[in-house]
Structures are given as structure tokens and as C-alpha cells.
Amino acid sequence: MPIKGNLFSFIGLLFGTLGLLLALFHFWAGPFAPPATLETLVAGKITSVREAAISALMGNPVPEVKAAKSWNIDTILNISISVLAIIGIVLGVIAGIYKEHRWGVQAALFFGLGVLAFQVAMFWLSVLLVVFFFVMLVSALTGNL
């Protein structure tokens, strides 16, 4: 299967593979940005509630504060993983339209969709683990373990 006639599928395969490698690297080695501490989050919420209460008691309109989107290395990695996967899928579809070799088309689509499926599966697995931990905590506190 020469690269010359299968350019879109090979480039799509490259992007999908890079996305999968980056997703696996971020999953195993990340997160890289330090999370905000509980004290910082609670102090920020208490301060904003206090300011809003003082403004309301003085008769001033309560200003709506919109939090600015914070960009950190984890956010950039998540976005770039998704972009690489989507580019791989799009190039796989384009390769299919141009009737390139079906193994290359299927590989580009497989890796692109695999990256997205991996991210979705890891999200739902983490949700499931949090629910499981909560149920175990409640059952341990109530003595029904």
C-alpha cells in the first residue's frame, strides 16, 4: 500500500495515533496543573457571598461576576487531544470519499474514534467510581456495610 495514493488516510492515521498517544500520556502521567485547594475555593465563595450581601443591604445592585476561563496545561492537552482525534476522523472520511485503500481509511477512523471513546470511557469510569465511593461511605457511616 503506497503512501502516494493514500495520503489522506496516512495523515489521518498519523493524527489519530498522535491523539491516542497524547491521551494515554495525559491519562497516565497527568494531571499536570495543581488543583485548587478546598480552602481557596471556600474562601472565594464566602467572599463573593459576603460582597453580594453587603451590596444588597446597601441597596446597590448586585454585580454579576463571570469567572474568566482559566487555561492550564491540562485544558490545553484535553483540547488538543480532541482536535487531533477530530482531524483524524475527518481525514479518514475524506480518504474514504477519495476511494483510498480501505485498510488506511479504517485505521484512521479507528484511531480517531478510539481517542474520543477513550476520553468518554475515562470520564464515565471516574463518575462511576465517585458514585461507588459515595455509596460505600454512606453504607459505612450507617453501619450497613
Side-chain angles (χ1 to χ4, degrees):
M1 182 168 68
I3 294 176
K4 186 176 180 182
N6 300 307
L7 186 63
F8 287 115
S9 60
F10 275 110
I11 294 174
L13 177 62
L14 178 71
F15 276 105
T17 306
L18 287 175
L20 186 59
L21 289 174
L22 191 60
L24 289 172
F25 174 74
H26 188 240
F27 176 73
W28 290 110
F32 298 109
T37 62
L38 183 61
E39 293 85 11
T40 306
L41 293 173
V42 171
K45 294 296 181 186
I46 290 174
T47 303
S48 65
V49 168
R50 179 177 51 110
E51 295 296 326
I54 290 172
S55 294
L57 288 174
M58 293 178 66
N60 298 334
V62 179
E64 290 187 29
V65 179
K66 297 216 173 191
K69 177 73 174 165
S70 63
W71 290 89
N72 57 24
I73 188 68
D74 292 322
T75 306
I76 293 169
L77 279 174
N78 283 331
I79 291 172
S80 61
I81 288 167
S82 299
V83 167
L84 286 172
I86 290 170
I87 290 172
I89 293 169
V90 167
L91 287 173
V93 169
I94 291 171
I97 291 171
Y98 281 122
K99 305 279 191 220
E100 292 184 7
H101 196 270
R102 102 184 137 112
W103 283 96
V105 173
Q106 289 174 352
L109 292 174
F110 175 77
F111 279 106
L113 291 172
V115 171
L116 295 179
F118 178 75
Q119 285 186 314
V120 169
M122 290 301 106
F123 171 75
W124 284 110
L125 181 64
S126 65
V127 169
L128 183 67
L129 288 175
V130 166
V131 169
F132 178 72
F133 177 73
F134 181 72
V135 167
M136 290 299 292
L137 182 67
V138 168
S139 65
L141 290 175
T142 60
N144 295 330
L145 189 62

